[in-house]
Amino acid sequence: MWTIENYPIKELASGENLSINTYTIKGHAGPHIHIQASVHGAELQGNAVILQLMEKLKNKKINGSITFIPLANPYATNNKHGTYTYGRYNPVTGDNWNRNYVDVVKASGFDMQQFVADNKSLPWHELRLVFKAELDHIIDSHIQKLVDKRLLAENNKLNLILQKLAAKADGVLDLHTGPVATRYLYSAEYEKEISYYLKFKHILVIPDEFGGAMDEAAFMPWVHLRNELEKHGRDITLDIESFTLEFGSEESFCMEDADKDVESILNYLKYKGVLEEEPESFSGYVCKLADYRTLFSPHGGLVDYHFKPGDRFKENDVLASFYQFKNLDPQDPIQSSRQQFKATTDGIIINRCPSSAVHQGMELYQVMTNLEEFQL
Ligand SMILES: [Zn+2]
């Protein structure tokens, strides 16, 4: 059974209203999964993945429910500069659209100590239900407070609506892409082993902390609850996850690639019991956020990139060549203008700058180093 809902998110200067649609499929009893795409407007592939997933679920028996939000940020999707989409930052405020969520337990001043004191003896399946209802209430009151005090700013409305919808879920998948990137995944430390079910070859493990992104906004309330329960001598293994999935490069929408990409989410749905099939095994590489390094450009110039996202490299490999035309000697044009950029460690290329014209200090590559292999 599908239900479609519409949420207005922004009234424009011209009077038009932007809104998002949510598509929810409900089956038998089971977990709720929240899947959204394109909070960064140029990151399109997640929408192809959502379409393929909806198609694949057409004749399947579902335990639980899944809410899909394609094109979750229409303002960013429509923000074109020439043929390119300027979709990562709010053009009015300059804020990154995926750093504007709130750690709502902290922001609202919710009394977690009192909540845990009142509810700590409940069995986990009941406690998580009570806390979910509480969380819904906390987000509503937080939004109302901002409205009442005229503090609901440019970014708040969309981010808080998405956050409220995601707070109902037992699994949150925020679909993004890199600039020019391979497929990779962000997982919190506590859900690292579960992230293997998503069948991404490259996994970045972030601390169980808040940094403003959707994945963190969705898992932090549960991390706060777990930490408070620990103080009362109760150890909980959290069974609510939240991940950021990076499906390749921005400005690209490919249904054929999405047909393969969707296998990752299908496997997670099997793990969660939403689909009644055994999850498949998988292997890949994990790296801690501290070992995810940005290589900044040491020169300005035109760049010939020698490695693609997904490629492995070794220390001393030439990752890129810079050509600086101010140094050009017409007697020896190539040698005189070229400088080489060498790797100082082994690693895997995850992202690279989409442009071959770079200034000194721009982000050239993002790479995973100190890799650990995983096997599911
Ligand atoms: Zn993104």
Side-chain angles (χ1 to χ4, degrees), residues 163-186:
Q163 197 167 335
K164 180 174 153 67
L165 291 167
K168 299 179 196 306
D170 306 291
V172 174
L173 306 179
D174 192 14
L175 314 189
H176 285 251
T177 77
V180 173
T182 186
R183 276 143 174 81
Y184 65 107
L185 170 101
Y186 287 89

Side-chain angles (χ1 to χ4, degrees), residues 91-280:
V92 177
T93 63
D95 295 317
N96 184 326
W97 287 109
N98 195 27
R99 299 291 181 278
N100 277 303
Y101 297 94
V102 289
D103 185 352
V104 75
V105 165
K106 287 212 158 158
S108 65
F110 176 67
D111 192 346
M112 184 64 90
Q113 271 181 321
Q114 189 61 51
F115 176 82
V116 167
D118 292 346
N119 295 287
K120 64 176 189 282
S121 310
L122 289 176
W124 175 241
H125 70 274
E126 278 179 42
L127 180 49
R128 68 206 287 290
L129 272 179
V130 174
F131 186 61
K132 252 193 207 179
E134 195 67 51
L135 199 49
D136 193 53
H137 175 67
I138 296 170
I139 297 174
D140 274 343
S141 328
H142 183 70
I143 295 173
Q144 196 53 51
K145 203 164 76 188
L146 293 178
V147 171
D148 291 346
K149 295 186 171 175
R150 306 292 186 266
L151 289 173
L152 193 69
E154 177 74 14
N155 305 313
N156 298 140
K157 190 172 176 186
L158 172 71
N159 287 81
L160 286 166
I161 288 173
L162 293 173
Q163 197 167 335
K164 180 174 153 67
L165 291 167
K168 299 179 196 306
D170 306 291
V172 174
L173 306 179
D174 192 14
L175 314 189
H176 285 251
T177 77
V180 173
T182 186
R183 276 143 174 81
Y184 65 107
L185 170 101
Y186 287 89
S187 164
E189 188 70 51
Y190 80 88
E191 55 188 5
K192 178 175 146 189
E193 272 83 27
I194 298 166
S195 76
Y196 303 162
Y197 287 97
L198 276 150
K199 294 174 73 174
F200 272 64
K201 267 250 171 293
H202 313 105
I203 296 175
L204 271 172
V205 179
I206 59 176
D208 299 347
E209 291 167 10
F210 188 64
M214 167 55 106
D215 52 357
E216 298 153 343
F219 67 61
M220 278 316 294
W222 299 96
V223 168
H224 289 308
L225 176 63
R226 178 201 65 187
N227 294 349
E228 190 60 32
L229 283 165
E230 250 170 37
K231 289 186 201 161
H232 292 259
R234 186 160 173 199
D235 283 334
I236 292 293
T237 303
L238 287 178
D239 52 0
I240 290 183
E241 303 88 34
S242 174
F243 303 104
T244 302
L245 285 58
E246 306 274 351
F247 284 111
S249 307
E250 62 190 12
E251 300 283 14
S252 167
F253 178 90
C254 174
M255 288 297 283
E256 201 178 318
D257 287 348
D259 192 42
K260 293 190 283 287
D261 289 336
V262 78
E263 293 298 324
S264 66
I265 299 179
L266 286 169
N267 211 47
Y268 176 66
L269 295 178
K270 292 171 194 171
Y271 163 76
K272 292 295 277 181
V274 176
L275 297 176
E276 286 179 1
E277 292 162 52
E278 278 301 303
E280 290 159 26

